[in-house]
PDB file of all heavy atoms in Angstrom:
ATOM      1  N   SER A 161       3.771  13.389   0.306  1.00 97.00           N
ATOM      2  CA  SER A 161       4.355  12.066   0.050  1.00 97.00           C
ATOM      3  C   SER A 161       3.450  11.230  -0.852  1.00 97.00           C
ATOM      4  O   SER A 161       3.925  10.438  -1.667  1.00 97.00           O
ATOM      5  CB  SER A 161       4.626  11.323   1.367  1.00 97.00           C
ATOM      6  OG  SER A 161       3.421  10.849   1.955  1.00 97.00           O
ATOM      7  N   LYS A 162       2.141  11.408  -0.721  1.00 97.00           N
ATOM      8  CA  LYS A 162       1.203  10.656  -1.562  1.00 97.00           C
ATOM      9  C   LYS A 162       1.199  11.203  -2.995  1.00 97.00           C
ATOM     10  O   LYS A 162       1.061  10.434  -3.958  1.00 97.00           O
ATOM     11  CB  LYS A 162      -0.208  10.688  -0.957  1.00 97.00           C
ATOM     12  CG  LYS A 162      -0.332   9.928   0.358  1.00 97.00           C
ATOM     13  CD  LYS A 162       0.099   8.477   0.240  1.00 97.00           C
ATOM     14  CE  LYS A 162      -0.235   7.666   1.481  1.00 97.00           C
ATOM     15  NZ  LYS A 162       0.247   6.273   1.372  1.00 97.00           N
ATOM     16  N   ALA A 163       1.360  12.518  -3.139  1.00 98.00           N
ATOM     17  CA  ALA A 163       1.519  13.084  -4.484  1.00 98.00           C
ATOM     18  C   ALA A 163       2.784  12.512  -5.120  1.00 98.00           C
ATOM     19  O   ALA A 163       2.815  12.182  -6.313  1.00 98.00           O
ATOM     20  CB  ALA A 163       1.586  14.606  -4.415  1.00 98.00           C
ATOM     21  N   ALA A 164       3.827  12.372  -4.303  1.00 98.00           N
ATOM     22  CA  ALA A 164       5.100  11.824  -4.796  1.00 98.00           C
ATOM     23  C   ALA A 164       4.943  10.368  -5.238  1.00 98.00           C
ATOM     24  O   ALA A 164       5.441   9.982  -6.304  1.00 98.00           O
ATOM     25  CB  ALA A 164       6.178  11.936  -3.718  1.00 98.00           C
ATOM     26  N   ILE A 165       4.241   9.567  -4.452  1.00 98.00           N
ATOM     27  CA  ILE A 165       4.127   8.142  -4.815  1.00 98.00           C
ATOM     28  C   ILE A 165       3.293   7.973  -6.087  1.00 98.00           C
ATOM     29  O   ILE A 165       3.537   7.061  -6.884  1.00 98.00           O
ATOM     30  CB  ILE A 165       3.558   7.284  -3.651  1.00 98.00           C
ATOM     31  CG1 ILE A 165       3.744   5.783  -3.943  1.00 98.00           C
ATOM     32  CG2 ILE A 165       2.107   7.542  -3.362  1.00 98.00           C
ATOM     33  CD1 ILE A 165       5.155   5.344  -4.144  1.00 98.00           C
ATOM     34  N   GLU A 166       2.352   8.871  -6.319  1.00 98.00           N
ATOM     35  CA  GLU A 166       1.578   8.798  -7.561  1.00 98.00           C
ATOM     36  C   GLU A 166       2.460   9.150  -8.765  1.00 98.00           C
ATOM     37  O   GLU A 166       2.319   8.552  -9.839  1.00 98.00           O
ATOM     38  CB  GLU A 166       0.340   9.688  -7.472  1.00 98.00           C
ATOM     39  CG  GLU A 166      -0.672   9.138  -6.470  1.00 98.00           C
ATOM     40  CD  GLU A 166      -1.919   9.996  -6.310  1.00 98.00           C
ATOM     41  OE1 GLU A 166      -2.132  10.922  -7.121  1.00 98.00           O
ATOM     42  OE2 GLU A 166      -2.688   9.733  -5.358  1.00 98.00           O
ATOM     43  N   ALA A 167       3.384  10.092  -8.578  1.00 98.00           N
ATOM     44  CA  ALA A 167       4.338  10.417  -9.651  1.00 98.00           C
ATOM     45  C   ALA A 167       5.339   9.272  -9.854  1.00 98.00           C
ATOM     46  O   ALA A 167       5.662   8.907 -10.987  1.00 98.00           O
ATOM     47  CB  ALA A 167       5.075  11.714  -9.325  1.00 98.00           C
ATOM     48  N   VAL A 168       5.801   8.686  -8.746  1.00 98.00           N
ATOM     49  CA  VAL A 168       6.695   7.515  -8.811  1.00 98.00           C
ATOM     50  C   VAL A 168       6.016   6.402  -9.632  1.00 98.00           C
ATOM     51  O   VAL A 168       6.645   5.757 -10.475  1.00 98.00           O
ATOM     52  CB  VAL A 168       7.039   7.017  -7.385  1.00 98.00           C
ATOM     53  CG1 VAL A 168       7.636   5.612  -7.416  1.00 98.00           C
ATOM     54  CG2 VAL A 168       8.007   7.984  -6.690  1.00 98.00           C
ATOM     55  N   THR A 169       4.732   6.200  -9.382  1.00 98.00           N
ATOM     56  CA  THR A 169       3.961   5.181 -10.108  1.00 98.00           C
ATOM     57  C   THR A 169       4.016   5.412 -11.613  1.00 98.00           C
ATOM     58  O   THR A 169       4.258   4.483 -12.390  1.00 98.00           O
ATOM     59  CB  THR A 169       2.485   5.186  -9.636  1.00 98.00           C
ATOM     60  OG1 THR A 169       2.434   4.809  -8.259  1.00 98.00           O
ATOM     61  CG2 THR A 169       1.635   4.228 -10.452  1.00 98.00           C
ATOM     62  N   ARG A 170       3.800   6.656 -12.034  1.00 98.00           N
ATOM     63  CA  ARG A 170       3.797   6.961 -13.469  1.00 98.00           C
ATOM     64  C   ARG A 170       5.158   6.705 -14.105  1.00 98.00           C
ATOM     65  O   ARG A 170       5.252   6.098 -15.175  1.00 98.00           O
ATOM     66  CB  ARG A 170       3.368   8.422 -13.683  1.00 98.00           C
ATOM     67  CG  ARG A 170       1.894   8.662 -13.379  1.00 98.00           C
ATOM     68  CD  ARG A 170       1.454  10.056 -13.766  1.00 98.00           C
ATOM     69  NE  ARG A 170       1.908  11.075 -12.846  1.00 98.00           N
ATOM     70  CZ  ARG A 170       1.251  11.465 -11.748  1.00 98.00           C
ATOM     71  NH1 ARG A 170       0.110  10.882 -11.421  1.00 98.00           N
ATOM     72  NH2 ARG A 170       1.730  12.429 -10.980  1.00 98.00           N
ATOM     73  N   TYR A 171       6.213   7.169 -13.437  1.00 98.00           N
ATOM     74  CA  TYR A 171       7.558   6.980 -13.993  1.00 98.00           C
ATOM     75  C   TYR A 171       7.941   5.501 -14.048  1.00 98.00           C
ATOM     76  O   TYR A 171       8.485   5.028 -15.046  1.00 98.00           O
ATOM     77  CB  TYR A 171       8.588   7.778 -13.177  1.00 98.00           C
ATOM     78  CG  TYR A 171       8.651   9.218 -13.600  1.00 98.00           C
ATOM     79  CD1 TYR A 171       7.841  10.177 -13.007  1.00 98.00           C
ATOM     80  CD2 TYR A 171       9.507   9.629 -14.619  1.00 98.00           C
ATOM     81  CE1 TYR A 171       7.879  11.505 -13.406  1.00 98.00           C
ATOM     82  CE2 TYR A 171       9.563  10.956 -15.031  1.00 98.00           C
ATOM     83  CZ  TYR A 171       8.744  11.893 -14.416  1.00 98.00           C
ATOM     84  OH  TYR A 171       8.788  13.194 -14.825  1.00 98.00           O
ATOM     85  N   LEU A 172       7.643   4.771 -12.967  1.00 98.00           N
ATOM     86  CA  LEU A 172       7.996   3.346 -12.941  1.00 98.00           C
ATOM     87  C   LEU A 172       7.165   2.546 -13.945  1.00 98.00           C
ATOM     88  O   LEU A 172       7.646   1.564 -14.506  1.00 98.00           O
ATOM     89  CB  LEU A 172       7.807   2.773 -11.540  1.00 98.00           C
ATOM     90  CG  LEU A 172       8.826   3.207 -10.479  1.00 98.00           C
ATOM     91  CD1 LEU A 172       8.479   2.582  -9.139  1.00 98.00           C
ATOM     92  CD2 LEU A 172      10.256   2.844 -10.879  1.00 98.00           C
ATOM     93  N   ALA A 173       5.916   2.970 -14.169  1.00 98.00           N
ATOM     94  CA  ALA A 173       5.067   2.257 -15.132  1.00 98.00           C
ATOM     95  C   ALA A 173       5.716   2.273 -16.514  1.00 98.00           C
ATOM     96  O   ALA A 173       5.669   1.278 -17.249  1.00 98.00           O
ATOM     97  CB  ALA A 173       3.685   2.894 -15.193  1.00 98.00           C
ATOM     98  N   VAL A 174       6.342   3.390 -16.858  1.00 98.00           N
ATOM     99  CA  VAL A 174       7.004   3.513 -18.152  1.00 98.00           C
ATOM    100  C   VAL A 174       8.367   2.799 -18.130  1.00 98.00           C
ATOM    101  O   VAL A 174       8.709   2.052 -19.045  1.00 98.00           O
ATOM    102  CB  VAL A 174       7.169   4.997 -18.551  1.00 98.00           C
ATOM    103  CG1 VAL A 174       8.025   5.139 -19.799  1.00 98.00           C
ATOM    104  CG2 VAL A 174       5.790   5.625 -18.764  1.00 98.00           C
ATOM    105  N   GLU A 175       9.127   3.000 -17.055  1.00 98.00           N
ATOM    106  CA  GLU A 175      10.471   2.403 -16.989  1.00 98.00           C
ATOM    107  C   GLU A 175      10.433   0.881 -16.879  1.00 98.00           C
ATOM    108  O   GLU A 175      11.300   0.198 -17.425  1.00 98.00           O
ATOM    109  CB  GLU A 175      11.252   2.991 -15.806  1.00 98.00           C
ATOM    110  CG  GLU A 175      11.675   4.434 -16.030  1.00 98.00           C
ATOM    111  CD  GLU A 175      12.737   4.891 -15.043  1.00 98.00           C
ATOM    112  OE1 GLU A 175      13.476   4.045 -14.496  1.00 98.00           O
ATOM    113  OE2 GLU A 175      12.833   6.117 -14.819  1.00 98.00           O
ATOM    114  N   LEU A 176       9.446   0.354 -16.156  1.00 98.00           N
ATOM    115  CA  LEU A 176       9.383  -1.100 -15.957  1.00 98.00           C
ATOM    116  C   LEU A 176       8.482  -1.789 -16.985  1.00 98.00           C
ATOM    117  O   LEU A 176       8.395  -3.009 -17.025  1.00 98.00           O
ATOM    118  CB  LEU A 176       8.897  -1.430 -14.537  1.00 98.00           C
ATOM    119  CG  LEU A 176       9.834  -0.963 -13.407  1.00 98.00           C
ATOM    120  CD1 LEU A 176       9.223  -1.288 -12.043  1.00 98.00           C
ATOM    121  CD2 LEU A 176      11.215  -1.597 -13.526  1.00 98.00           C
ATOM    122  N   GLY A 177       7.825  -0.982 -17.822  1.00 98.00           N
ATOM    123  CA  GLY A 177       6.951  -1.543 -18.858  1.00 98.00           C
ATOM    124  C   GLY A 177       7.628  -2.572 -19.747  1.00 98.00           C
ATOM    125  O   GLY A 177       7.075  -3.652 -19.977  1.00 98.00           O
ATOM    126  N   PRO A 178       8.849  -2.285 -20.230  1.00 98.00           N
ATOM    127  CA  PRO A 178       9.532  -3.252 -21.104  1.00 98.00           C
ATOM    128  C   PRO A 178       9.823  -4.593 -20.431  1.00 98.00           C
ATOM    129  O   PRO A 178      10.011  -5.600 -21.109  1.00 98.00           O
ATOM    130  CB  PRO A 178      10.842  -2.533 -21.458  1.00 98.00           C
ATOM    131  CG  PRO A 178      10.539  -1.079 -21.300  1.00 98.00           C
ATOM    132  CD  PRO A 178       9.573  -1.003 -20.157  1.00 98.00           C
ATOM    133  N   LYS A 179       9.849  -4.607 -19.088  1.00 98.00           N
ATOM    134  CA  LYS A 179      10.079  -5.874 -18.368  1.00 98.00           C
ATOM    135  C   LYS A 179       8.773  -6.634 -18.153  1.00 98.00           C
ATOM    136  O   LYS A 179       8.771  -7.700 -17.531  1.00 98.00           O
ATOM    137  CB  LYS A 179      10.730  -5.594 -17.005  1.00 98.00           C
ATOM    138  CG  LYS A 179      12.093  -4.933 -17.100  1.00 98.00           C
ATOM    139  CD  LYS A 179      12.712  -4.739 -15.728  1.00 98.00           C
ATOM    140  CE  LYS A 179      13.354  -6.019 -15.228  1.00 98.00           C
ATOM    141  NZ  LYS A 179      14.238  -5.787 -14.055  1.00 98.00           N
ATOM    142  N   GLY A 180       7.663  -6.059 -18.630  1.00 98.00           N
ATOM    143  CA  GLY A 180       6.371  -6.731 -18.455  1.00 98.00           C
ATOM    144  C   GLY A 180       5.791  -6.568 -17.071  1.00 98.00           C
ATOM    145  O   GLY A 180       4.956  -7.367 -16.635  1.00 98.00           O
ATOM    146  N   ILE A 181       6.231  -5.515 -16.349  1.00 98.00           N
ATOM    147  CA  ILE A 181       5.735  -5.254 -14.996  1.00 98.00           C
ATOM    148  C   ILE A 181       4.769  -4.077 -15.051  1.00 98.00           C
ATOM    149  O   ILE A 181       5.121  -3.000 -15.532  1.00 98.00           O
ATOM    150  CB  ILE A 181       6.899  -4.933 -14.034  1.00 98.00           C
ATOM    151  CG1 ILE A 181       7.888  -6.099 -13.981  1.00 98.00           C
ATOM    152  CG2 ILE A 181       6.371  -4.602 -12.644  1.00 98.00           C
ATOM    153  CD1 ILE A 181       9.197  -5.781 -13.256  1.00 98.00           C
ATOM    154  N   ALA A 182       3.535  -4.294 -14.595  1.00 98.00           N
ATOM    155  CA  ALA A 182       2.537  -3.225 -14.560  1.00 98.00           C
ATOM    156  C   ALA A 182       2.585  -2.544 -13.191  1.00 98.00           C
ATOM    157  O   ALA A 182       2.579  -3.213 -12.157  1.00 98.00           O
ATOM    158  CB  ALA A 182       1.148  -3.785 -14.822  1.00 98.00           C
ATOM    159  N   VAL A 183       2.634  -1.214 -13.196  1.00 98.00           N
ATOM    160  CA  VAL A 183       2.706  -0.435 -11.952  1.00 98.00           C
ATOM    161  C   VAL A 183       1.513   0.509 -11.895  1.00 98.00           C
ATOM    162  O   VAL A 183       1.270   1.265 -12.842  1.00 98.00           O
ATOM    163  CB  VAL A 183       4.012   0.394 -11.878  1.00 98.00           C
ATOM    164  CG1 VAL A 183       4.155   1.049 -10.502  1.00 98.00           C
ATOM    165  CG2 VAL A 183       5.232  -0.465 -12.190  1.00 98.00           C
ATOM    166  N   ASN A 184       0.755   0.450 -10.806  1.00 98.00           N
ATOM    167  CA  ASN A 184      -0.409   1.313 -10.622  1.00 98.00           C
ATOM    168  C   ASN A 184      -0.554   1.723  -9.168  1.00 98.00           C
ATOM    169  O   ASN A 184       0.104   1.161  -8.286  1.00 98.00           O
ATOM    170  CB  ASN A 184      -1.688   0.589 -11.081  1.00 98.00           C
ATOM    171  CG  ASN A 184      -1.763   0.420 -12.582  1.00 98.00           C
ATOM    172  OD1 ASN A 184      -1.979   1.372 -13.312  1.00 98.00           O
ATOM    173  ND2 ASN A 184      -1.562  -0.817 -13.058  1.00 98.00           N
ATOM    174  N   THR A 185      -1.413   2.704  -8.946  1.00 98.00           N
ATOM    175  CA  THR A 185      -1.733   3.154  -7.591  1.00 98.00           C
ATOM    176  C   THR A 185      -3.198   2.866  -7.299  1.00 98.00           C
ATOM    177  O   THR A 185      -4.056   3.088  -8.155  1.00 98.00           O
ATOM    178  CB  THR A 185      -1.491   4.673  -7.447  1.00 98.00           C
ATOM    179  OG1 THR A 185      -0.097   4.946  -7.518  1.00 98.00           O
ATOM    180  CG2 THR A 185      -2.009   5.194  -6.115  1.00 98.00           C
ATOM    181  N   VAL A 186      -3.470   2.381  -6.095  1.00 98.00           N
ATOM    182  CA  VAL A 186      -4.847   2.320  -5.594  1.00 98.00           C
ATOM    183  C   VAL A 186      -4.946   3.345  -4.469  1.00 98.00           C
ATOM    184  O   VAL A 186      -4.175   3.307  -3.509  1.00 98.00           O
ATOM    185  CB  VAL A 186      -5.220   0.906  -5.102  1.00 98.00           C
ATOM    186  CG1 VAL A 186      -6.573   0.927  -4.391  1.00 98.00           C
ATOM    187  CG2 VAL A 186      -5.250  -0.073  -6.278  1.00 98.00           C
TER     188      VAL A 186
END
Side-chain angles (χ1 to χ4, degrees):
S161 74
K162 293 304 189 183
I165 193 59
E166 291 179 11
V168 165
T169 296
R170 290 187 285 272
Y171 277 90
L172 288 179
V174 172
E175 288 195 24
L176 296 177
K179 298 183 81 166
I181 301 170
V183 188
N184 289 288
T185 291
V186 171

